[in-house]
Amino acid sequence: MAQNNRAEIGGFNYSRTGSMGRHGLPKIQTQHEKSSAEVCHDDSTTPVKAKTIDELHSLQKKKSQPTTPITGSQGAFTPTMSEEDRHRQQLQSISASLASLTRETGPKVVKGDPKSDGQKATHVEHHLYDASLFGVSDSALKFTHILYNLSPAELYEQAIKYEKGSFITASGALATLSGAKTGRSPRDKRVVKDEETENELWWGKGSPNIEMDEHTFLVNRERAVDYLNSLDKVFVNDQFLNWDPEHRIKVRIVSARAYHSLFMHNMCIRPTPEELEDFSTPDFTIYNAGQFPCNRFTHHMTSSTSVDLNLARREMVILGTQYAGEMKKGLFSVMHYLMPKRQILSLHSGCNMGKGGDVALFFGLSGTGKTTLSTDHNRYLIGDDEHCWSNNGVSNIEGGCYAKCIDLSKDKEPDIWNAIKFGTVLENVVFDEYNREVDYSEKSVTENTRAAYPIEYIPNAKIPCVGPHPKNVILLACDAFGVLPPVSKLSLAQTMYHFISGYTALVAGTEDGIKEPQATFSACFGAAFIMMHPTRYAAMLAEKMQKHGATGWLVNTGWSAGRYGTGNRIKLAYTRKIIDAIHSGDLLNATYSKTEVFGLEIPTEIEGVPSEILDPINTWSDKKAYKDTLLHLGGLFKKNFEVFMNHKIGKDNKLTGEILAAGPNF
């Protein structure tokens, strides 16, 4: 070492007495060079061969497609088809989707952003007949630019450049506004009533399905398609619903906003590049022209907003609302129709799985703790909202989560908090103008602030989002009347009764003092989205529970020792102990007693839970007040169930009688 006056520094041989390079610097020789003559000079390299800035930018980009991590590709890859032919076939399919009914042809579509002048355009003219026979309008002379399955980064750029109200927050999420509508518009939702749906769907009192005729749907479809075709560019997402590959549904979403495209990129299942190769024609298509209103003088319209489903055409049209949740819940309604026809039960529920493979379903309306209780660091999350139960087990319908953000905190909901990062869409939140920190307690725009993110943003998410048959079906109710037990074991008939009822209680405003809690009932814990009669879903649930040995549970996360205002909310720590005892199977071996009126089986002892609270009558000092309140709630259940009594199901209609007998008895 000393003889050659050399030193080894950081894996390189550095010569103190060797030849000098440019600028008087010594030459550096690596240990991996073949000879001492082969040296690296400073940072010299071959110049970039680009004549224009567009050519230079093109060197930055490597072609790819966004994917959802999944083991095993289900798509068919066709290596013999050239990329140009594949693009042409893809654009022809999109052009056919955007075909006008009156002209029976799609637009001349071009793949790429019209602002990218340096990008080579691929286009296709899709005509079903000789266009020269008809008058040519100005719209026929223009190209519609298709932005197809863009990545989150590309959609960020589009939103920030062209959509007012879109900003990057401090956490990296994209904050945006949904316009005047910050929630769903259920009164403006319509379903085409035809020969098939007339007998299959639930119509009339209590039903969420408001009818419209085929002609009116086509009028609205034409309005939406014409609007989309008039734009310089539209966003197209080709994605999947249902993680069970045997029952997967292909959906296409055509929209005018990058925000909507990113939202659906997160909420649906993202295909692999190989799966996109064989995507072909979708099973269902959404035309989201939400910026453009419907014609209020069109038949069946009640406002400038219209959300229309045509199950025969497998299409959905959105006019007059930019709230992204309409797309998510619209597709959920479609699954509530398509899946039962395949003898698959569609469910508005959360779902998780223990390390031993035991699966639990969680049903509950807003404020019952469904999200909190189904999110368990000791269990794998299959999904937070929408599921299917088939002969293969359970599967998540979606590829993402749509979480409420109001009053979100890192301490209470760390998984959701940490999921709000780059790629996540934040709807209608308020943030600091300077540092872009979101104030989740702020309700200036709406109380219905939301975050949409891919499910793999949750650390303990199970990918793919499928699991074996459930062992426990947990129905959650926040009983503000304070008379339901913290936990009850249900018979099959009781499970069906409480599943159809879908009960919880909302606390009334206290501006002029404490008022009566308001009982809320939502059939199947999701009445706004079901398509068929609730008893059909309930019968399927009971059949699957019986076949696979699942147990039903009613868990009250509301009040004890009195109603709201006099009693106390059941501690979350106690509810978690109850849920843990359900998961472990300990409650199956407990000793039970039966309550009056509702006839519920309640355990006499649960580890970690005070025994006196398990039977609510023990916690009330005024026993008469307890009995009166219990009878009052039972009466509300009976009144709600009147709308279901005339719908007969089961062999010889016996199942209807069994369900009715499982309700309050007094």
Side-chain angles (χ1 to χ4, degrees):
M1 190 72 149
Q3 184 179 0
N4 295 319
N5 194 24
R6 300 173 70 89
E8 292 187 5
I9 303 175
F12 294 99
N13 290 327
Y14 175 44
S15 173
R16 296 192 179 95
T17 58
S19 58
M20 305 299 289
R22 288 181 296 170
H23 312 300
L25 295 173
K27 294 180 180 179
I28 300 173
Q29 178 182 351
T30 69
Q31 293 178 333
H32 303 291
E33 298 292 350
K34 294 181 180 178
S35 68
S36 59
E38 298 176 6
V39 295
C40 300
H41 296 283
D42 303 352
D43 58 354
S44 301
T45 185
T46 306
V48 176
K49 294 182 179 179
K51 297 181 180 179
T52 66
I53 191 67
D54 288 320
E55 290 181 14
L56 182 60
H57 285 171
S58 70
L59 299 177
Q60 293 178 300
K61 304 169 187 175
K62 180 181 178 182
K63 200 166 274 188
S64 64
Q65 291 289 350
T67 64
T68 296
I70 186 169
T71 56
S73 172
Q74 301 296 328
F77 181 62
T78 313
T80 56
M81 183 181 292
S82 69
E83 186 175 350
E84 185 176 353
D85 287 341
R86 184 175 64 81
H87 282 178
R88 183 173 286 107
Q89 185 182 80
Q90 186 182 83
L91 293 178
Q92 284 176 340
S93 176
I94 295 171
S95 181
S97 292
L98 283 165
S100 164
L101 290 166
T102 56
R103 293 178 295 281
E104 298 182 9
T105 180
K108 300 173 181 179
V109 295
V110 181
K111 191 170 184 181
D113 190 342
K115 299 292 184 181
S116 300
D117 299 329
Q119 183 174 347
K120 183 179 178 182
T122 302
H123 71 272
V124 59
E125 296 184 28
H126 181 74
H127 297 288
L128 303 180
Y129 56 88
D130 186 359
S132 64
L133 299 176
F134 297 81
V136 177
S137 66
D138 285 345
S139 63
L141 302 178
K142 67 175 282 293
F143 287 104
T144 298
H145 294 254
I146 301 297
L147 301 181
Y148 182 71
N149 272 27
L150 297 189
S151 67
E154 293 172 304
L155 291 169
Y156 266 55
E157 293 169 0
Q158 291 289 325
I160 291 166
K161 283 181 183 177
Y162 307 116
E163 295 181 10
K164 191 173 182 179
S166 294
F167 300 90
I168 300 176
T169 64
S171 69
L174 179 72
T176 188
L177 297 171
S178 66
K181 298 293 179 72
T182 58
R184 291 182 299 104
S185 302
R187 294 182 181 179
D188 296 308
K189 180 184 173 184
R190 300 288 183 272
V191 182
V192 173
K193 191 174 187 178
D194 53 31
E195 292 181 359
E196 186 174 354
T197 58
E198 183 177 6
N199 298 317
E200 286 190 327
L201 300 193
W202 179 27
W203 304 101
K205 185 179 179 181
S207 166
N209 302 317
I210 307 173
E211 67 179 83
M212 75 185 308
D213 60 84
E214 172 89 7
H215 175 75
T216 305
F217 174 85
L218 295 179
V219 169
N220 281 355
R221 181 193 188 278
E222 190 76 347
R223 190 171 176 93
V225 166
D226 281 348
Y227 170 73
L228 291 166
N229 288 344
S230 73
L231 302 175
D232 286 337
K233 60 187 176 185
V234 296
F235 298 87
V236 175
N237 294 51
D238 279 348
Q239 295 181 266
F240 298 122
L241 298 177
N242 198 350
W243 282 83
D244 182 351
E246 187 178 338
H247 303 292
R248 192 168 62 181
I249 301 296
K250 297 185 293 183
V251 294
R252 171 169 293 163
I253 302 99
V254 185
S255 56
R257 290 193 62 179
Y259 144 52
H260 289 151
S261 188
L262 180 58
F263 177 90
M264 294 309 284
H265 166 90
N266 289 347
M267 295 310 303
C268 294
I269 300 168
R270 295 155 288 283
T272 64
E274 292 79 9
E275 288 167 334
L276 281 176
E277 297 277 358
D278 194 42
F279 195 88
S280 187
T281 305
D283 300 312
F284 197 89
T285 304
I286 293 178
Y287 300 99
N288 188 346
Q291 296 93 314
F292 200 66
C294 69
N295 185 332
R296 292 182 292 115
F297 295 99
T298 305
H299 190 41
H300 297 292
M301 301 300 103
T302 52
S303 73
S304 59
T305 297
S306 191
V307 179
D308 308 329
L309 276 175
N310 189 324
L311 296 170
R313 290 183 61 91
R314 302 289 195 264
E315 292 179 335
M316 179 180 181
V317 170
I318 300 175
L319 291 163
T321 173
Q322 297 179 66
Y323 181 64
E326 294 286 9
M327 295 182 287
K328 165 189 163 66
K329 292 305 186 183
L331 289 176
F332 191 30
S333 295
V334 170
M335 295 296 279
H336 269 308
Y337 173 73
L338 295 178
M339 293 297 102
K341 290 170 72 70
R342 300 185 185 185
Q343 302 305 309
I344 298 170
L345 178 59
S346 49
L347 299 166
H348 188 208
S349 71
C351 183
N352 65 24
M353 185 179 78
K355 295 175 182 178
D358 60 296
V359 169
L361 295 173
F362 292 83
F363 296 88
L365 302 179
S366 179
T368 59
K370 181 179 71 170
T371 300
T372 301
L373 295 172
S374 62
T375 303
D376 187 333
H377 290 169
N378 295 316
R379 296 173 66 83
Y380 300 109
L381 179 68
I382 293 177
D384 74 326
D385 196 45
E386 303 176 9
H387 292 88
C388 285
W389 188 351
S390 71
N391 290 333
N392 300 327
V394 290
S395 56
N396 192 350
I397 290 175
E398 302 179 299
C401 301
Y402 194 32
K404 291 182 180 179
C405 290
I406 195 67
D407 294 326
L408 179 69
S409 69
K410 189 174 184 179
D411 293 335
K412 292 182 180 179
E413 300 286 355
D415 286 345
I416 296 175
W417 179 278
N418 293 327
I420 299 177
K421 56 186 178 181
F422 180 82
T424 296
V425 176
L426 279 174
E427 277 183 329
N428 301 318
V429 298
V430 176
F431 53 85
D432 184 276
E433 185 178 10
Y434 173 67
N435 60 29
R436 303 295 169 88
E437 294 283 353
V438 177
D439 182 355
Y440 291 109
S441 64
E442 180 59 61
K443 308 173 185 178
S444 298
V445 181
T446 178
E447 190 170 326
N448 187 36
T449 52
R450 296 271 184 166
Y453 47 85
I455 193 166
E456 55 266 27
Y457 281 16
I458 300 297
N460 62 329
K462 184 183 180 301
I463 307 293
C465 302
V466 296
H469 298 286
K471 291 298 180 187
N472 293 293
V473 174
I474 302 170
L475 312 182
L476 301 169
C478 177
D479 177 30
F481 293 97
V483 293
L484 289 184
V487 60
S488 312
K489 185 173 69 171
L490 303 176
S491 66
L492 275 176
Q494 285 177 322
T495 303
M496 284 190 285
Y497 182 88
H498 287 278
F499 177 70
I500 292 171
S501 297
Y503 164 73
T504 194
L506 303 178
V507 177
T510 57
E511 190 171 312
D512 299 317
I514 298 170
K515 297 181 180 180
E516 181 79 6
Q518 301 295 312
T520 300
F521 298 92
S522 182
C524 306
F525 293 92
F529 321 119
I530 60 177
M531 303 294 285
M532 301 172 184
H533 198 275
T535 52
R536 179 164 181 180
Y537 300 101
M540 290 182 68
L541 176 63
E543 180 185 358
K544 291 185 178 297
M545 288 178 64
Q546 191 171 32
K547 182 178 179 180
H548 301 289
T551 305
W553 306 89
L554 179 64
V555 174
N556 174 22
T557 62
W559 270 255
S560 179
R563 66 172 64 201
Y564 172 80
T566 59
N568 304 304
R569 186 91 188 250
I570 297 172
K571 291 182 179 180
L572 178 60
Y574 295 159
T575 303
R576 288 196 183 279
K577 288 289 186 182
I578 290 169
I579 298 297
D580 288 343
I582 291 173
H583 290 324
S584 68
D586 289 347
L587 272 191
L588 288 175
N589 302 317
T591 303
Y592 286 85
S593 62
K594 183 174 287 189
T595 67
E596 54 184 345
V597 179
F598 281 89
L600 298 170
E601 297 279 348
I602 57 174
T604 57
E605 187 177 358
I606 300 175
E607 185 179 351
V609 181
S611 297
E612 60 270 17
I613 75 167
L614 295 177
D615 189 342
I617 193 173
N618 296 333
T619 65
W620 283 62
S621 56
D622 188 338
K623 306 302 182 186
K624 184 179 184 302
Y626 165 80
K627 185 67 177 291
D628 291 344
T629 306
L630 181 63
L631 290 173
H632 174 65
L633 181 60
L636 295 176
F637 266 83
K638 281 191 169 186
K639 183 175 177 58
N640 170 73
F641 218 82
E642 288 175 357
V643 71
F644 308 120
M645 291 177 64
N646 294 328
H647 196 88
K648 307 300 183 184
I649 58 172
K651 189 176 181 181
D652 300 325
N653 297 329
K654 289 183 178 179
L655 191 55
T656 303
E658 290 179 19
I659 296 173
L660 285 172
N665 184 16
F666 61 95

